Amino acid sequence: MSEHRDVLSTPGHLVSLVARGFARLSEARLKPFGFGVGHLPVLVALRDGKAGTQRDLARFARVEQPPMAQMLARMERDGLVRRTPDPADGRSHRVALTEMALSCLPEATAVLMQGNRDALAGFTEAEAEQFVDLLARLLANLDRLAAKGPGRRWSSAVP
Amino acid sequence: MSEHRDVLSTPGHLVSLVARGFARLSEARLKPFGFGVGHLPVLVALRDGKAGTQRDLARFARVEQPPMAQMLARMERDGLVRRTPDPADGRSHRVALTEMALSCLPEATAVLMQGNRDALAGFTEAEAEQFVDLLARLLANLDRLAAKGPGRRWSSAVP
DNA sequence: TACTAATGCATACGTGCATATGTATCGACT
DNA sequence: AGTCGATACATATGCACGTATGCATTAGTA
């Protein structure tokens, strides 16, 4: 029976190991640009005008607000981002990319893409596509499961 | 061209999201037992006698030594584990599960397994198997890539 | 208009993971 | 036996993530 597999051979644990491996690889390759893996959702959202405030960025990146605040603080400290008070809302800050970050982004994303190709070495095109498909379905399941217990966090719209 | 995908649709980023979702689900379900997701490799290794020292446990769980030291300290604090000086080696400590941890383990792993089934809802048996296979191949690639840069960390034997 | 609820942030704290570095012990070799 | 490199562990520091709270502002409503 395939039930007898160990806990450490489950998809959950394997995904965790793969995620850490991916993160270490990407972190290493992104370091020359001054970026970290976690920065990417923020950078992309700001570049594409998908989000301008801290809360929007947190939602977009699917993290909670305090981690996003901390990350933005570090990114501001490192010159990747600028925060200015929102004239229309006294509570809010408008977040914008610096020219430095904007100019580094294309090459950084290219490096990321190459990292993905390297990691998927030996995968056929069909396998790679199915992998992404399975991941997306898994993510949808996990979102659905998370929505059962606590109050839903994200707008339940998965890109 | 499928090259035009966004960085946030890459396998790397998706895997990261899935891993976080899995971790949150498992963390929530494991909390009643006093376990955390990161504890599982340690608990299983100790139960199966696969490792008895801190260094072995770190290698088994594929984490560095300082994180493992911290985790063992918390696990000892929480009564999951006991550390006794190794009579044969003055530098080393023998790590052992407490009866409490040992008695909770079966049910905890069962809950974990169920969580995996829940997360894989809608997957055919073939899809689930292929997913695990793709993950294993990806992990092997990532290990190979990691071995290029820094000195290899784990014994390059992936269970 | 005044009061209350919702919203946006900040802070505090715990956890998991990483690197860098120090300390003590062990083993091997002169 | 004494010395030196390897080994096992501890400590310090930083990042990413989470929850729990508190505060200020905005907005909805009596």
Side-chain angles (χ1 to χ4, degrees):
Chain A
M1 56 179 83
S2 79
E3 278 300 337
H4 195 249
R5 278 186 336 211
D6 199 283
V7 200
L8 304 183
S9 311
T10 54
H13 190 246
L14 285 175
V15 164
S16 165
L17 291 177
V18 169
R20 283 200 286 137
F22 246 121
R24 285 165 31 106
L25 178 67
S26 305
E27 205 79 53
R29 296 194 176 182
L30 245 40
K31 182 165 288 179
F33 301 96
F35 293 158
V37 205
H39 299 163
L40 258 293
V42 175
L43 298 169
V44 169
L46 293 176
R47 181 199 58 186
D48 297 351
K50 293 266 178 63
T53 73
Q54 181 169 306
R55 192 76 196 131
D56 289 345
L57 287 167
R59 273 193 271 258
F60 184 84
R62 303 168 66 103
V63 297
E64 303 300 323
Q65 171 259 323
M68 179 55 69
Q70 266 194 327
M71 186 157 64
L72 287 175
R74 281 190 298 265
M75 291 176 75
E76 188 172 30
R77 179 201 63 189
D78 298 341
L80 301 178
V81 128
R82 259 188 306 269
R83 277 191 290 184
T84 57
D86 188 329
D89 191 331
R91 302 165 294 181
S92 202
H93 291 266
R94 306 300 301 178
V95 186
L97 290 182
T98 61
E99 299 73 24
M100 201 272 278
L102 195 57
S103 69
C104 287
L105 232 189
E107 201 175 346
T109 64
V111 164
L112 255 284
M113 294 294 202
Q114 183 58 46
N116 273 272
R117 279 190 291 273
D118 294 345
L120 293 189
F123 282 50
T124 66
E125 185 67 25
E127 283 174 332
E129 278 178 24
Q130 186 177 10
F131 185 58
V132 170
D133 175 65
L134 294 172
L135 284 173
R137 285 162 58 191
L138 192 41
L139 192 54
N141 283 348
L142 289 167
D143 283 351
R144 191 174 42 73
L145 288 168
K148 306 276 186 182
R152 60 176 49 75
R153 287 159 160 68
W154 309 288
S155 45
S156 74
V158 184
Chain B
M1 54 178 84
S2 79
E3 276 302 336
H4 195 249
R5 278 186 335 212
D6 199 284
V7 199
L8 305 182
S9 311
T10 54
H13 190 245
L14 285 176
V15 164
S16 166
L17 292 177
V18 169
R20 277 165 45 201
F22 246 122
R24 283 165 32 105
L25 178 68
S26 305
E27 205 78 54
R29 297 196 175 180
L30 246 38
K31 181 166 289 180
F33 302 96
F35 293 160
V37 205
H39 299 163
L40 258 293
V42 175
L43 298 168
V44 169
L46 292 176
R47 181 199 58 186
D48 298 351
K50 291 267 179 61
T53 73
Q54 182 169 304
R55 192 74 193 133
D56 288 346
L57 288 167
R59 273 193 271 259
F60 184 83
R62 302 169 67 103
V63 298
E64 302 301 324
Q65 170 260 322
M68 179 54 70
Q70 264 194 328
M71 184 156 60
L72 287 175
R74 281 190 298 263
M75 292 176 74
E76 188 172 31
R77 179 200 63 189
D78 298 340
L80 301 178
V81 128
R82 258 189 307 269
R83 278 190 290 183
T84 56
D86 189 329
D89 189 332
R91 303 163 294 179
S92 201
H93 292 267
R94 306 300 302 178
V95 185
L97 290 183
T98 61
E99 299 73 24
M100 200 272 277
L102 196 56
S103 68
C104 287
L105 232 188
E107 201 175 347
T109 64
V111 165
L112 254 284
M113 293 295 202
Q114 184 57 47
N116 273 272
R117 278 189 291 273
D118 294 345
L120 294 190
F123 282 50
T124 67
E125 185 67 26
E127 283 174 332
E129 278 179 23
Q130 185 177 11
F131 185 58
V132 169
D133 175 65
L134 293 173
L135 284 173
R137 285 162 59 191
L138 193 41
L139 193 54
N141 282 347
L142 288 167
D143 283 353
R144 192 173 40 73
L145 286 168
K148 305 277 187 181
R152 61 176 47 74
R153 290 160 158 66
W154 308 289
S155 45
S156 74
V158 185

